Amino acid sequence: MRPTNVLVDAWQGLRRNKSIAISVVLVTMISMYLLGVGVLAQRQVTTMKGYWYDRVQVSIYLCTDSSSQPNCAEGAVTDEQRETIEAQLEESRPLVKEVYFESEQEAYDRFREDYKNSPLSKNIRVGDIPPSYRVQLSDPEQYETVASAFENAPGVASVPDLRQVFSKLFQAINIASAVMVALSLLTLVSAVLLMATTIRQAAFTRRREIAIMRLVGASNSTIRTPFIIETLVAGLVGTGLAVGMLWFSAWSLFDEYLIQETTGTALISSSEVLVIAPALFGLVGVLAIGTSTITLWRYLRV
């Protein structure tokens, strides 16, 4: 059988079973869309980790008269204690790249600027945020080394680990993306089952044609190829629709909104969809061909 005849047979098969073929397209589209959302979420987490972890500072908050930490029982930090802290920071170079001292007034002004659109800015007063040393590291991976050197030091109220704050955010995004991937796998199973059902029904409706092809000596590959093409086309069409939806979703959310409205963080863009699209098409192609081959081997004994 010539290639043109195979394609014609595949097209006719899609037309005869168009309701099931459309079902395969829709289920594949949903599963690939959910899988793509999960993958994009993971890529966003990776991007944000690389951006924020490189910018994590060691914040050394100093004791004030109103500090309630056990290490501040003797009152506010003294000039001598501050000089000791500054000397230790200087000794930590080159691991310590830059050191900035932030007074209570500067901390108040920065908070009011960062949260100017939040009701929180109206409830804070000068002195609510203690003075601190903000230490920029040359190697963010050495955060714990520097932070531990100043914990419970005289005059130091606390040295919070800012990475834990980001870790909770990243963990929440990871959980959400894992849920998306799990849902996509469930719908992908449904798509595979629908592919198998489509092939069996198509083989049943064309059983007389298949019998005639056997009599004239058609090979197994000649008989099976149209069925495989039908399934592959339906799967790839569904994936194409999913990629289109993913691109539009990413473009609307990231390119047109977050990137325009958000500063000071790292975001992916709709171009990431083009990066993962070949993998989505490849996955569906393998599943479609594999499902078709196994189903035909079991239900179409030729």
Side-chain angles (χ1 to χ4, degrees):
M1 183 181 292
R2 292 179 298 177
T4 53
N5 292 336
V6 172
L7 295 177
V8 169
D9 287 345
W11 171 247
Q12 291 177 348
L14 288 171
R15 292 183 58 187
R16 292 174 185 173
N17 301 281
K18 57 184 177 182
S19 60
I20 296 182
I22 291 174
S23 298
V24 173
V25 170
L26 294 177
V27 174
T28 304
M29 177 186 71
I30 295 172
S31 61
M32 288 298 101
Y33 179 79
L34 293 175
L35 180 59
V37 169
V39 173
L40 289 178
Q42 289 289 342
R43 294 179 74 89
Q44 178 60 62
V45 168
T46 301
T47 301
M48 290 179 68
K49 280 182 178 179
Y51 180 88
W52 283 111
Y53 281 177
D54 285 346
R55 287 160 177 77
V56 167
Q57 295 178 334
V58 178
S59 295
I60 304 173
Y61 289 100
L62 305 180
C63 294
T64 64
D65 291 329
S66 59
S67 298
S68 58
Q69 288 86 349
N71 202 48
C72 299
E74 296 182 2
V77 61
T78 64
D79 292 339
E80 182 179 355
Q81 289 171 340
R82 282 186 53 179
E83 291 174 0
T84 301
I85 294 172
E86 291 175 359
Q88 285 183 275
L89 289 171
E90 286 297 323
E91 292 173 0
S92 299
R93 295 182 185 274
L95 181 57
V96 171
K97 186 177 181 181
E98 298 288 344
V99 179
Y100 309 92
F101 177 75
E102 186 176 71
S103 66
E104 292 175 316
Q105 181 65 50
E106 290 171 336
Y108 169 79
D109 293 339
R110 181 175 57 83
F111 186 90
R112 288 293 299 269
E113 177 63 25
D114 292 344
Y115 295 90
K116 59 185 177 182
N117 297 321
S118 172
L120 293 173
S121 63
K122 301 177 181 179
N123 301 325
I124 192 171
R125 300 290 183 269
V126 176
D128 290 345
I129 303 177
S132 64
Y133 288 100
R134 300 190 174 275
V135 183
Q136 186 72 41
L137 304 178
S138 56
D139 182 6
E141 294 295 328
Q142 299 298 320
Y143 181 98
E144 192 64 35
T145 302
V146 177
S148 60
F150 293 94
E151 288 179 352
N152 300 320
V156 175
S158 63
V159 186
D161 189 348
L162 298 181
R163 296 174 305 173
Q164 294 180 356
V165 177
F166 296 128
S167 294
K168 292 179 180 179
L169 171 63
F170 298 148
Q171 184 179 14
I173 299 176
N174 280 330
I175 292 174
S177 61
V179 171
M180 289 294 184
V181 171
L183 290 175
S184 71
L185 292 178
L186 290 176
T187 53
L188 195 59
V189 171
S190 299
V192 170
L193 294 176
L194 270 176
M195 290 177 185
T197 301
T198 301
I199 295 169
R200 290 198 299 269
Q201 181 169 340
F204 179 78
T205 56
R206 282 182 272 175
R207 59 190 183 279
R208 292 184 179 177
E209 298 175 22
I210 293 173
I212 294 174
M213 294 175 69
R214 288 177 182 172
L215 292 175
V216 298
S219 64
N220 290 344
S221 60
T222 299
I223 297 174
R224 292 170 176 168
T225 299
F227 296 101
I228 296 175
I229 293 175
E230 292 173 29
T231 308
L232 183 61
V233 168
L236 293 180
V237 169
T239 306
L241 293 175
V243 170
M245 291 171 58
L246 279 172
W247 183 89
F248 180 77
S249 299
W251 175 78
S252 301
L253 179 60
F254 294 101
D255 297 10
E256 292 298 305
Y257 179 67
L258 291 179
I259 292 178
Q260 304 295 331
E261 300 294 331
T262 305
T263 57
T265 189
L267 298 169
I268 62 173
S269 66
S270 57
S271 61
E272 293 289 336
V273 177
L274 303 180
V275 175
I276 68 173
L280 297 180
F281 279 108
L283 174 61
V284 170
V286 170
L287 289 176
I289 295 174
T291 301
S292 303
T293 302
I294 294 173
T295 303
L296 290 170
W297 178 75
R298 291 187 59 189
Y299 294 97
L300 189 61
R301 304 291 186 178
V302 293

